[in-house]
Amino acid sequence: MIKNIFQKLIPILMLTYAATGLSQNTYPNKPIRLLVPYTPGGSTDIFARMLGNKLTEIYKQPVIIENKPGASGQIAMDVMLKAPADGYTIYLGNIGNLAVNVPLFKNLSYDPRKDIAPISKIAQVTNVLVVNSKIPVKTVAELIQYAKARPGKLSYSSGGNGSAAHIAMEYFKLQTGIDVIHIPYKGTSPAVTDVIGGQVDMIMTGSPPLMPFIEAEKVNPIAVSSSKRIDSLPKLPTIAESGIPELKGFEATQWYGVVAKAGTPKEIIAILNKGVQDTFGPAAAREEVKKSGANVELDSPEEFANFIRSEIDRWSKVVKAAGITPS
């Protein structure tokens, strides 16, 4: 009788194991999907490719990067949340889609505080305020004066509604009182391209995708948004250094991190966290990230979860005060 019961349990146990596929001893035993919520070329994509290449090397399994832009990161997030919570579909997000979207969208399709399992923060990136080469300004004060003389006639681009570039520039507008029109794109790369081409007047976005164009003098850098100057642009002042009283203490930086679907076993999250640490922790990787204007910032899953919640609280106040909407 015991033998018959055991024989009946075997198929059930096999189905349960096949459905989860979450054994710590076997993970990962197949390709991993790394979802990027923007088009290729931006900071998110740059970090994703660094991570994907290293994890492929570590895990001996392909890490397939999938760029799924649109809806301020919701399209890519929905893909992850429809996948099993098994660590084989992960998401590289940023301040926009992991924090700002919460107060920005009334009917957001996900809640970062409930629906995701944070893995680790990766980096903090300083925004750089740049204008296209036809705009005759060189300082923050000159830009404010130029914009106030042309209310509603200048424009700025971003990687999409609710993106880090969007929220940073709206914060800048709130503090200075300038009237500049927002032109959202499906990713940072096309947003930067149109500033270079003159279709848009300015952008305040992460330094990595801007550095090649700053060095080639295809855009004019005005200031950085961090509290201190950055090594990659040591002569460029901070916005807080502009001498404008309203901008004293101004800071609006971007951050990036990796998450999985809520319910992913802690053992799998720990393996992925170690993979992130092994990718960005070494001195060579830190130096590579630093050259692009970013600083590596790694943490535990628990620390990242607490950080996300604190950022949601912080930017909720800015979104409300500025009256920022997704369209």
Side-chain angles (χ1 to χ4, degrees), residues 37 49 67 100 102 118 179 205 217 220 224 242 245 254 288 303:
R49 295 187 187 282
N67 294 88
V100 176
V102 175
D179 180 10
T205 194
E217 298 182 349
N220 294 333
V224 296
S242 64
Q254 301 186 24
E288 182 179 350
E303 289 170 335

Side-chain angles (χ1 to χ4, degrees), residues 214-228:
I214 292 173
E215 292 170 354
E217 298 182 349
K218 292 187 177 181
V219 292
N220 294 333
I222 302 299
V224 296
S225 68
S226 51
S227 60
K228 298 179 181 179

Side-chain angles (χ1 to χ4, degrees), residues 22-53:
L22 299 178
S23 171
Q24 182 180 357
N25 296 326
T26 60
Y27 179 88
N29 58 14
K30 64 180 182 179
I32 297 172
R33 302 169 71 191
L34 176 53
L35 301 171
V36 178
Y38 300 109
T39 55
S43 299
T44 313
D45 189 68
I46 291 171
F47 296 138
R49 295 187 187 282
M50 288 181 66
L51 181 61
N53 289 338

Side-chain angles (χ1 to χ4, degrees), residues 12-22 30 84-86:
I12 297 174
L13 293 171
M14 291 181 66
L15 284 172
T16 301
Y17 177 82
T20 59
L22 299 178
K30 64 180 182 179
D86 57 7

Side-chain angles (χ1 to χ4, degrees), residues 33-299:
R33 302 169 71 191
L34 176 53
L35 301 171
V36 178
Y38 300 109
T39 55
S43 299
T44 313
D45 189 68
I46 291 171
F47 296 138
R49 295 187 187 282
M50 288 181 66
L51 181 61
N53 289 338
K54 186 63 177 180
L55 292 187
T56 296
E57 176 187 327
I58 295 172
Y59 296 152
K60 309 302 180 186
Q61 291 289 344
V63 176
I64 303 168
I65 297 172
E66 297 184 16
N67 294 88
K68 292 187 176 296
S72 298
Q74 293 184 73
I75 291 175
M77 182 64 75
D78 287 345
V79 171
M80 183 182 74
L81 296 183
K82 288 177 181 177
D86 57 7
Y88 286 101
T89 304
I90 58 179
Y91 181 105
L92 201 156
N94 65 13
I95 179 177
N97 36 65
L98 296 180
V100 176
N101 276 3
V102 175
L104 188 67
F105 292 92
K106 292 182 179 180
N107 298 307
L108 189 64
S109 62
Y110 63 94
D111 187 339
R113 296 162 294 192
K114 300 177 181 178
D115 299 328
I116 66 171
I119 295 169
S120 178
K121 193 193 302 179
I122 287 176
Q124 178 172 291
V125 177
T126 296
N127 292 312
V128 183
L129 175 59
V130 303
V131 298
N132 76 59
S133 57
K134 296 179 181 178
I135 302 294
V137 300
K138 294 182 178 181
T139 68
V140 170
E142 289 177 356
L143 177 59
I144 293 172
Q145 183 179 13
Y146 187 81
K148 286 188 173 181
R150 298 163 180 80
K153 294 184 179 180
L154 300 181
S155 61
Y156 78 92
S157 59
S158 79
N161 287 316
S163 66
H166 180 200
I167 198 74
M169 195 65 189
E170 287 297 319
Y171 182 36
F172 182 76
K173 288 171 57 181
L174 180 67
Q175 298 299 97
T176 61
I178 62 173
D179 180 10
V180 183
I181 298 172
H182 177 218
I183 309 295
Y185 288 75
K186 290 185 177 181
T188 301
S189 184
V192 171
T193 297
D194 275 8
V195 173
I196 295 168
Q199 289 86 359
V200 184
D201 298 303
M202 68 193 80
I203 187 171
M204 188 192 301
T205 194
S207 54
L210 288 173
M211 289 303 295
F213 305 109
I214 292 173
E215 292 170 354
E217 298 182 349
K218 292 187 177 181
V219 292
N220 294 333
I222 302 299
V224 296
S225 68
S226 51
S227 60
K228 298 179 181 179
R229 298 190 184 195
I230 59 177
D231 293 341
S232 56
L233 294 167
K235 295 182 180 180
L236 197 64
T238 68
I239 290 176
E241 289 181 277
S242 64
I244 307 297
E246 293 80 6
L247 295 175
K248 184 178 180 180
F250 184 95
E251 183 177 4
T253 56
Q254 301 186 24
W255 52 263
Y256 299 80
V258 187
V259 302
K261 182 178 179 179
T264 301
K266 291 183 178 180
E267 295 83 0
I268 302 300
I269 296 297
I271 291 172
L272 288 166
N273 179 272
K274 187 177 186 305
V276 174
Q277 303 281 337
D278 290 344
T279 298
F280 296 98
R286 288 178 177 273
E287 188 60 30
E288 182 179 350
V289 171
K290 190 174 183 179
K291 287 179 181 178
S292 68
N295 290 312
V296 170
E297 288 193 6
L298 303 170
D299 52 15

